[in-house]
C-alpha cells in the first residue's frame, strides 16, 4: 500500500518554501542543468549560515557510496559537483555562486574559455602556469588529453560521451590502454591542448566543464581501480577510502589558490560517512547535536521528514530546496516486448497516475507534474503538453489502447533506486488500474546506474531522470533518444533503448543548425514528436531538498549541479565545534 503525505502537509510545505526556501534558474548535470524558477520557492539563490571560517572537519552524511570518482566515469549528480570541486579540476567550470550567476562559465585549468577556429571545428585551450598535482608535479596538457582518451576505454564505463560525439576520427577507438592515441586531440606543448571536432560546436566551452576534461597522468593509470584513488589536482586529496563506509579527504598542500578563482577550500577535512538510512540522516541533522552540527546531507531529505522540519523555524531555516532542472521519467525498454509496440508505450502515458507519484515524492512543493521530455529551461520556461493527459491519468483510455495491441493483461518489471521505493509503489498502484502488474526491484543507489546501464540486466522499466549538462537541447534529446548512443555496458541516458531512424536523422539536422534560436525551437518540436512515439513517460520535475547542520556556513544549492550543495565554497561557522 502506498504511503502518501496528507494534503495538509503538502499545502504547508508550499507555504513554508515560499517563505524560506530558494528557487533559481537551473542549468545542470549534470554539469549544467537549466531549470525555470519555481514561483513557490521564494528568493533565488539562498545562502545558509553566513560566511565560513577556514578550518575544521565538514562531514557529509550519505545513504550511498559514489557511483564513480574516476573522472572518465563520473556523470552522476551530485558526484560531479563533489569531485570537480574537491578532487580534480576541469578546463572550464562554473562560478561558485547561487542563482543565475552560478551558470556563468569561467576558466579553471585553462587561462580562458577556449579559442575556436576553423568555423568552430577547432578549439584551443592554454593551461595556467603553476597548477600542480598532490605530489607537486605540474598538470600538463598531455594529462587532459590522456583522460579524454580514457573515456573511450570499454572497461571505464559510465562517463560522459561528448568526446565520442564531438571529436573527429574516433570511430572504433578503444582508449589509450593499448598504446593508441587520438590524432584529433593535439598537445604541441605542455600547456596547449587542441581539439579537432567532426562538426562545429559553438558551445564547446561548456562541454569542457565535464569531468572528461580533467587531467589524469598516464603514470597514475590503474584501470578500473582508479575509481578508488583519483590523483588530485584540486584542493583536497584522498587520505582513506573504505568502500560503502567512509571517504576522508585532507588538504592537497600543492593546490595553489592563486591559480583557482572558484574553490575556497574552507574545511581542513571532508569526511563522507556512507550507508546510512535516509531517515536516520535527516534526524541527525535536524537534531544538529555535537559533530552533527557540522554536517550536510548528500542525498535528498526524505519526504516524511517534512513534518519535523517545517513546523520548527530554526530547522526550516537550514533547508535548501533548489530546482533540479531535470525531468524524471519512467523509461520503457523498447528493445523487447511488450514495449517494442508503440501502442503499448502510448497506453503507458495514459496508465500512469502522476498525481500519486508527486504525492509519494513529497507533494507539489517539491515536485511538479512533467508533461513533456524537455525541462522548462529548454522549452521557453514552460513545458509543452502535447498529449493533454489528466494528472491522474486515464486508465480507461489505457485499457482501450492495450486491448487494441492484444495486451489486456501485462506483467512487467520495474527497477528503482532504494530511495524511490515510495514512487515505485505509486506507479505500481496506478498501473494496476489498467490491468498492468508491476514487479518492483529496489537497487542500492551506488550500483543503480551500473545495473540499469548494462543491457544484460536492464529491466522492463526504469525510473530515473535526465538533466542537461548546460542549457541546450543538444545535451538532452540526443543523449536520451538517439539509438546510436546505446552501449552494451555503461549505457547512459537512453535507458529506454529507443532506436528510431527518423529521430536520429532529425537530431543530426538540428545539430548542424548554426542559429541557436532555430535549433532551440527545433528541439522543442522534436520533443512533441517523440511524445507521440512514447519511448518513455515523463513523470515529474523535482526540487532538491537538503538539510545542513547549525554549524554549516556558505551553503547553497548550485544552479548547474541540480541544486546540490556547492562543495567548493561551503564551510563551518566555528571550526572548533567540528569533530572527525
Amino acid at each position: 500500500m502506498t504511503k502518501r503525505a496528507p494534503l495538509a502537509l503538502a499545502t504547508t510545505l508550499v507555504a513554508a518554501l515560499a517563505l524560506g526556501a530558494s528557487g533559481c534558474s537551473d542549468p545542470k548535470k549534470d554539469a549544467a542543468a537549466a531549470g525555470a524558477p519555481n514561483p513557490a520557492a521564494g528568493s533565488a539563490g539562498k545562502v545558509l549560515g553566513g560566511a565560513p571560517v577556514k578550518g575544521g572537519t565538514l562531514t557529509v552524511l550519505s545513504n550511498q557510496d559514489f557511483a564513480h570518482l574516476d573522472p572518465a566515469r563520473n556523470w552522476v549528480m551530485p558526484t560531479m559537483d563533489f569531485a570537480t570541486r574537491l578532487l580534480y579540476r576541469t578546463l572550464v567550470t562554473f562560478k561558485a555562486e547561487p542563482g543565475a550567476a552560478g551558470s556563468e562559465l569561467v576558466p579553471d585549468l585553462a587561462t580562458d574559455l577556449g579559442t575556436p577556429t576553423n568555423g568552430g571545428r577547432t578549439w584551443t585551450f592554454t593551461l595556467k602556469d603553476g597548477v600542480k598535482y598532490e605530489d607537486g608535479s605540474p598538470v600538463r596538457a598531455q594529462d587532459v588529453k590522456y583522460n579524454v582518451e580514457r573515456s573511450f576505454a570499454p572497461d571505464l564505463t559510465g562517463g560522459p560521451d561528448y568526446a565520442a560525439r564531438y571529436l573527429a576520427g574516433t570511430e572504433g577507438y578503444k582508449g589509450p590502454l593499448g598504446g593508441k592515441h587520438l590524432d584529433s586531440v593535439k598537445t604541441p606543448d605542455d600547456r596547449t591542448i587542441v581539439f579537432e571536432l567532426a562538426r562545429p560546436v559553438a558551445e564547446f566551452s561548456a562541454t569542457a566543464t565535464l569531468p572528461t576534461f580533467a587531467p589524469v597522468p598516464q603514470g597514475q593509470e590503474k584501470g578500473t581501480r582508479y575509481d578508488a584513488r583519483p590523483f588530485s589536482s584540486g584542493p583536497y586529496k584522498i587520505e582513506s577510502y573504505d568502500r560503502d563506509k567512509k571517504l576522508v579527504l585532507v588538504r592537497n598542500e600543492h593546490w595553489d589558490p592563486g591559480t583557482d578563482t572558484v574553490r575556497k577550500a574552507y574545511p581542513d577535512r571532508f569526511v563522507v560517512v556512507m550507508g546510512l538510512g535516509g531517515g536516520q540522516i535527516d534526524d541527525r541533522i535536524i537534531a544538529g547535536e555535537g559533530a552533527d552540527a557540522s554536517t550536510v546531507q548528500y542525498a535528498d531529505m526524505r519526504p516524511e521528514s517534512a513534518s519535523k522540519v517545517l513546523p520548527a523555524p530554526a530547522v526550516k531555516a537550514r533547508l535548501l530546496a533548489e530546482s533540479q532542472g531535470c525531468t524524471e521519467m519512467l523509461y520503457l525498454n523498447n528493445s523487447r516486448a511488450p514495449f517494442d509496440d508503440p501502442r503499448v508505450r502510448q497506453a503507458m502515458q495514459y496508465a500512469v497516475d502522476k498525481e500519486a507519484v508527486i504525492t509519494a515524492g513529497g507533494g507539489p512543493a517539491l515536485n511538479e507534474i512533467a508533461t513533456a521530455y524537455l525541462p522548462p529551461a529548454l522549452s521557453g520556461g514552460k513545458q509543452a503538453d502535447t498529449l493533454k493527459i489528466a494528472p491522474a491519468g486515464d486508465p480507461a483510455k489505457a485499457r482501450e489502447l492495450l486491448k487494441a495491441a492484444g495486451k489486456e493483461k501485462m506483467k512487467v518489471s520495474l527497477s528503482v533506486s532504494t530511495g524511490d521505493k515510495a514512487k515505485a509503489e505509486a506507479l505500481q498502484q496506478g498501473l494496476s488500474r489498467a490491468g498492468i502488474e508491476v514487479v518492483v526491484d529496489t537497487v542500492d543507489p551506488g550500483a543503480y546506474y551500473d545495473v540499469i546501464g548494462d543491457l544484460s540486466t536492464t529491466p522492463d522499466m526504469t525510473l530515473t531522470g535526465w538533466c542537461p549538462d548546460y542549457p541546450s537541447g543538444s545535451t538532452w534529446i540526443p543523449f536520451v533518444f538517439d539509438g546510436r548512443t546505446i552501449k552494451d555496458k555503461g549505457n547512459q541516458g537512453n535507458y529506454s533503448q529507443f532506436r528510431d531512424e527518423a529521430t536520429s536523422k532529425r537530431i543530426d539536422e538540428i545539430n548542424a543548425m548554426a542559429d541557436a534560436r532555430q535549433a532551440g525551437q527545433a528541439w522543442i518540436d522534436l520533443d512533441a514528436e517523440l511524445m507521440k512515439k512514447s519511448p518513455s513517460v515523463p513523470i515529474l520535475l523535482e526540487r532538491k531538498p537538503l538539510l545542513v547542520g547549525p554549524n554549516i556556513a556558505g551553503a547553497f544549492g548550485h544552479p548547474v549541479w541540480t541544486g546540490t550543495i556547492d562543495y567548493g565554497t561551503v564551510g563551518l561557522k566555528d571550526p572548533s565545534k567540528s569533530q572527525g
Side-chain angles (χ1 to χ4, degrees):
M1 180 178 181
T2 303
K3 185 176 181 181
R4 302 187 179 191
L7 179 60
L9 173 59
T11 304
T12 304
L13 188 52
V14 172
L17 289 175
L19 293 173
S22 56
C24 65
S25 187
D26 207 9
K28 175 202 164 202
K29 187 175 188 188
D30 14 288
N38 185 326
S43 61
K46 179 180 179 181
V47 182
L48 302 182
V53 176
K54 193 168 184 177
T57 296
L58 191 151
T59 301
V60 182
L61 301 182
S62 179
N63 64 337
Q64 59 186 280
D65 199 346
F66 301 99
H68 295 292
L69 288 178
D70 184 333
R73 310 181 72 182
N74 182 2
W75 204 15
V76 176
M77 281 297 157
T79 312
M80 287 209 306
D81 169 24
F82 184 88
T84 60
R85 286 313 204 202
L86 302 180
L87 283 174
Y88 40 77
R89 299 169 63 176
T90 49
L91 288 174
V92 177
T93 190
F94 293 91
K95 275 190 174 180
E97 293 187 23
S103 61
E104 184 178 335
L105 292 169
V106 291
D108 191 1
L109 289 176
T111 57
D112 57 27
L113 301 182
T115 301
T117 53
N118 190 25
R121 288 180 172 85
T122 302
W123 280 81
T124 302
F125 296 84
T126 302
L127 270 59
K128 294 173 182 174
D129 191 22
V131 182
K132 297 178 181 179
Y133 291 109
E134 61 181 82
D135 66 350
S137 60
V139 173
R140 305 178 310 145
Q142 292 89 336
D143 305 336
V144 178
K145 170 183 169 71
Y146 186 73
N147 190 47
V148 171
E149 293 174 334
R150 294 174 76 246
S151 70
F152 289 82
D155 291 340
L156 304 182
T157 57
D161 62 358
Y162 285 90
R165 290 169 178 270
Y166 291 168
L167 290 173
T170 62
E171 187 174 351
Y173 184 63
K174 301 295 183 183
L177 302 185
K180 294 185 178 180
H181 298 279
L182 284 172
D183 292 336
S184 52
V185 184
K186 298 177 173 62
T187 53
D189 57 58
D190 287 353
R191 291 182 55 205
T192 306
I193 185 165
V194 182
F195 299 94
E196 300 289 351
L197 310 183
R199 65 172 178 83
V201 180
E203 58 206 23
F204 194 73
S205 292
T207 307
T209 64
L210 293 166
T212 310
F213 300 91
V216 173
Q218 187 170 353
Q220 293 293 325
E221 180 64 79
K222 296 179 178 65
T224 56
R225 291 184 293 116
Y226 194 77
D227 238 357
R229 188 60 175 82
F231 196 55
S232 174
S233 56
Y236 297 89
K237 62 184 178 181
I238 295 176
E239 180 181 75
S240 62
Y241 187 8
D242 189 358
R243 284 281 190 176
D244 299 310
K245 294 181 181 178
K246 183 186 284 189
L247 171 73
V248 179
L249 303 183
V250 295
R251 291 192 183 277
N252 168 13
E253 59 269 27
H254 295 288
W255 171 73
D256 181 358
T259 70
D260 194 334
T261 62
V262 177
R263 300 162 187 83
K264 303 305 179 185
Y266 288 114
D268 291 330
R269 289 158 50 94
F270 278 85
V271 176
V272 184
V273 181
M274 306 166 186
L276 303 173
Q280 178 187 10
I281 294 171
D282 293 350
D283 288 344
R284 286 176 58 173
I285 300 181
I286 289 168
E289 298 174 348
D292 289 340
S294 303
T295 61
V296 301
Q297 63 184 162
Y298 187 76
D300 298 1
M301 181 188 80
R302 300 294 302 148
E304 56 268 25
S305 295
S307 60
K308 305 173 187 177
V309 173
L310 301 180
V315 180
K316 188 182 73 175
R318 297 190 273 116
L319 173 67
L320 292 167
E322 295 285 356
S323 169
Q324 293 195 37
C326 315
T327 308
E328 186 165 296
M329 293 165 284
L330 181 65
Y331 287 82
L332 312 174
N333 192 336
N334 291 209
S335 70
R336 62 181 185 234
F339 299 128
D340 56 348
D341 187 332
R343 295 171 298 179
V344 176
R345 301 198 301 267
Q346 190 173 46
M348 294 293 291
Q349 299 272 22
Y350 291 90
V352 170
D353 184 350
K354 297 181 185 179
E355 208 164 50
V357 182
I358 291 285
T359 302
L366 295 185
N367 312 270
E368 60 181 291
I369 288 172
T371 56
Y373 297 124
L374 288 177
L378 302 186
S379 54
K382 183 179 180 181
Q383 279 201 313
D385 190 3
T386 304
L387 301 182
K388 303 189 185 308
I389 301 170
D394 186 344
K397 176 68 172 178
R399 284 182 179 274
E400 178 186 323
L401 289 165
L402 290 173
K403 184 177 181 180
K407 298 286 185 182
E408 293 179 77
K409 293 288 183 182
M410 291 197 319
K411 183 176 182 179
V412 291
S413 60
L414 167 63
S415 287
V416 297
S417 179
T418 306
D420 285 331
K421 185 179 179 182
K423 292 179 184 177
E425 290 172 346
L427 286 166
Q428 185 181 50
Q429 186 175 16
L431 293 173
S432 69
R433 304 172 306 168
I436 302 168
E437 181 183 351
V438 178
V439 179
V440 177
D441 177 35
T442 57
V443 181
D444 179 84
Y448 185 61
Y449 289 97
D450 287 336
V451 171
I452 66 174
D454 186 330
L455 300 196
S456 68
T457 55
T458 303
D460 297 323
M461 301 188 298
T462 297
L463 181 67
T464 188
W466 191 259
C467 315
D469 287 307
Y470 42 86
S472 169
S474 66
T475 70
W476 212 103
I477 285 180
F479 290 89
V480 180
F481 295 126
D482 190 341
R484 296 168 295 186
T485 68
I486 298 170
K487 304 174 184 176
D488 290 342
K489 287 190 176 184
N491 187 39
Q492 289 275 350
N494 196 342
Y495 298 118
S496 58
Q497 296 182 51
F498 178 65
R499 295 175 173 87
D500 181 66
E501 283 191 28
T503 299
S504 295
K505 180 181 178 183
R506 186 56 181 156
I507 286 171
D508 289 344
E509 291 171 349
I510 301 173
N511 276 333
M513 293 178 180
D515 187 313
R517 288 182 178 274
Q518 180 188 11
Q521 184 58 51
W523 291 123
I524 295 171
D525 295 341
L526 181 54
D527 181 287
E529 291 303 310
L530 285 163
M531 282 294 293
K532 297 172 186 176
K533 296 178 181 180
S534 300
S536 64
V537 182
I539 302 292
L540 53 84
L541 306 167
E542 288 186 302
R543 299 179 65 75
K544 191 170 187 68
L546 293 170
L547 287 166
V548 306
N551 194 34
I552 294 295
F556 62 87
H558 198 279
V560 167
W561 288 305
T562 64
T564 62
I565 291 170
D566 192 322
Y567 289 97
T569 54
V570 69
L572 305 176
K573 297 177 184 177
D574 184 351
S576 68
K577 293 182 178 179
S578 67
Q579 302 173 29

